[in-house]
Amino acid sequence: MATIYDGAFRTILNDCRKLIIPVINEIFGETYTGEEEIRFSPNEHFLDQQDEADKERITDTNFTVFGKIPKKYHIECESSLPDGKITIRLFEYDAQIAPDEGEVTEETLTVTFPHTAVMYLRTYKKTPDTMKYVLVTPGGTVQYDVPVMKVQAYSLDDIFEKRLLMLVPFYIFSHEKSFPEYNSNGQKLGELKAEYQRILERLDELEQQGVIGAFDKRTIIDLTGDVIKEIAQKYENVQKGVGDMMRGALIETSARAILNQGISQGISQGISQGISQGISQNQRETALRLLKRGRMTLEEIAEDTGLGMAEVEQLSNLVQS
C-alpha cells in the first residue's frame, strides 16, 4: 500500500529528477555527471491472475538514464520490516518492465531487465545489505544482486558531501527512536531543531552556489515537512518544533523566487530560441509543477508566474484530466 513516504519519494524524483543521479552513482557505482537525460516510463502494469481480476502493480520509479549507454533503472522506497515479500514484488515489477522495450528478431525475444535497488528508510536487524535474484531456466541459472541503500546509514555530512539530497526528507528516520525523549525534553528538542536549522542553511548555501535551484530547495523543504508530520504524528512537540521550522522556511522560499529562476533560464534559452518563447515556456512549466503539488490556489499561481488566469485554468484542466 502506498504511503506518504512513497509519495514523497515519487514527488521529489519527478519534480527534481536530476537529484536521482547522485543516488544512482552511490548505489550502482556509476559516474554520471548529472547532465544526462532522464526519461520516465509508465509505472503501472497489470499482472494476469487466473480466475480473478488482473492485479495492478505500480512501481516507485521506472526510468532510463541516457549516458554513454542507456540504462534502465527501477528503485523502490520501503519503510516496512523486511519480510521476503518485497523481493517477490520487485521481481514481478521487473518482469513486467523488461518486455516493454523487448525486441524480437527472427523469433528470438530479447528483453532487458532494469538495474534494480531498494531504498530502506528504516533499518532493522533483518534488513539485508543486498538482495539477490536466482533465475533457474532450461538454458541455465542466472543470478545477480539487487543493491540495498540504508538511508539511516548516512549522516548529514554524507548526504551533503555526496549530494544525496533526495535523502534529506527522510533523514528524520535516523531520529525516530528518540522521539519520546525529544517530545518531553526541551533541551533535546532544541538540539534536533538546531540540526534542522543547519539543514536549511546548507540548502541555502547550495542554492547560492547554483548546485540546486529554488524549486528544488522548496520541494525538499516541503517534503521534509510532510514526512515529519507523518512520522511524528504521535509527538506533538516534535511536530510543532521541527515542522514549524519547515513551514517558516517555505514562506521565505517564495514562488516568486522560483519564477525568477524560470525567467533566467528562459532568457538563456532565448539567445538561440527567442527570449519571449523561453520565458513563456518556463512560466508554464513552473505553473504545471505548482498545480501538481496542489499547495496554491489558481489565483496565487497566476500572480506568482505572471500567467493569465485563463491559461492557468487551462493548465489546471490538463493536470486533472
Side-chain angles (χ1 to χ4, degrees):
M1 178 180 296
T3 67
I4 187 68
Y5 312 130
D6 298 321
F9 181 69
R10 291 184 185 130
T11 296
I12 197 169
L13 177 60
N14 283 277
D15 288 359
C16 312
R17 60 185 59 184
K18 289 296 185 180
L19 297 185
I20 190 62
I21 292 297
V23 175
I24 292 293
N25 288 342
E26 177 72 10
I27 295 176
F28 296 99
E30 300 285 6
T31 56
Y32 293 127
T33 64
E35 297 304 315
E36 296 79 8
E37 178 189 358
I38 302 172
R39 189 178 302 169
F40 285 84
S41 302
N43 68 344
E44 298 178 359
H45 291 84
F46 289 87
L47 305 182
D48 292 331
Q49 303 287 303
Q50 286 188 331
D51 302 323
E52 60 180 276
D54 290 349
K55 184 186 299 182
E56 183 180 27
R57 284 295 195 213
I58 301 178
T59 65
D60 281 350
T61 64
N62 174 18
F63 58 92
T64 300
V65 177
F66 289 85
K68 294 181 180 179
I69 300 175
K71 290 186 180 181
K72 297 168 75 173
Y73 292 95
H74 167 210
I75 302 179
E76 292 292 319
C77 178
E78 188 69 29
S79 61
S80 59
L81 179 70
D83 58 4
K85 295 180 180 179
I86 178 63
T87 312
I88 296 174
R89 294 202 305 274
L90 283 173
F91 183 76
E92 288 179 340
Y93 296 151
D94 289 348
Q96 291 292 307
I97 292 170
D100 285 347
E101 298 176 10
E103 297 181 356
V104 178
T105 304
E106 297 180 353
E107 301 308 315
T108 298
L109 171 64
T110 301
V111 295
T112 302
F113 273 65
H115 297 263
T116 300
V118 181
M119 179 185 293
Y120 274 105
L121 304 182
R122 293 185 175 98
T123 302
Y124 302 92
K125 290 182 178 180
K126 293 179 62 176
T127 305
D129 292 326
T130 187
M131 301 162 69
K132 187 184 295 289
Y133 288 163
V134 179
L135 284 65
V136 181
T137 77
T141 299
V142 177
Q143 65 179 23
Y144 59 95
D145 291 338
V146 175
V148 169
M149 170 177 266
K150 299 178 181 178
V151 173
Q152 290 181 322
Y154 292 86
S155 68
L156 271 185
D157 286 339
D158 292 333
I159 289 172
F160 280 92
E161 288 171 7
K162 296 184 177 185
R163 297 292 190 260
L164 302 175
L165 303 181
M166 277 192 68
L167 305 189
V168 171
F170 308 109
Y171 177 70
I172 191 67
F173 279 85
S174 299
H175 290 280
E176 186 177 18
K177 293 181 179 179
S178 299
F179 283 173
E181 183 178 15
Y182 294 146
N183 206 57
S184 60
N185 187 319
Q187 180 178 344
K188 291 294 183 181
L189 180 59
E191 293 174 1
L192 180 64
K193 290 172 64 177
E195 189 169 31
Y196 269 83
Q197 181 60 43
R198 181 55 183 154
I199 289 176
L200 294 174
E201 291 170 358
R202 295 179 82 161
L203 290 174
D204 283 340
E205 292 169 4
L206 291 180
E207 182 190 9
Q208 293 166 9
Q209 295 165 9
V211 176
I212 58 174
F215 188 89
D216 295 335
K217 185 179 76 170
R218 180 189 178 93
T219 300
I220 292 170
I221 295 171
D222 198 0
L223 295 176
T224 298
D226 287 347
V227 172
I228 291 172
K229 181 178 179 181
E230 176 69 15
I231 195 174
Q233 55 185 299
K234 296 181 180 178
Y235 303 94
E236 183 178 1
N237 292 336
V238 176
Q239 269 203 8
K240 288 184 176 180
V242 186
D244 285 352
M245 289 180 61
M246 298 300 108
R247 286 187 288 275
L250 282 177
I251 293 173
E252 295 174 6
T253 308
S254 66
R256 175 60 61 183
I258 299 169
L259 172 63
N260 290 339
Q261 180 195 27
I263 292 176
S264 176
Q265 292 172 346
I267 291 173
S268 297
Q269 295 171 0
I271 295 174
S272 58
Q273 299 178 5
I275 292 177
S276 62
Q277 180 183 1
I279 294 175
S280 179
Q281 179 61 26
N282 278 278
Q283 287 172 308
R284 284 194 291 271
E285 289 178 357
T286 300
L288 280 170
R289 288 182 175 182
L290 294 174
L291 285 165
K292 289 177 182 178
R293 300 296 300 282
R295 303 276 180 170
M296 301 170 66
T297 67
L298 299 187
E299 291 78 8
E300 289 172 332
I301 292 174
E303 179 181 351
D304 286 337
T305 61
L307 295 174
M309 273 299 298
E311 187 166 6
V312 173
E313 289 172 352
Q314 184 179 24
L315 292 173
S316 177
N317 291 334
L318 287 174
V319 170
Q320 295 173 11
S321 62

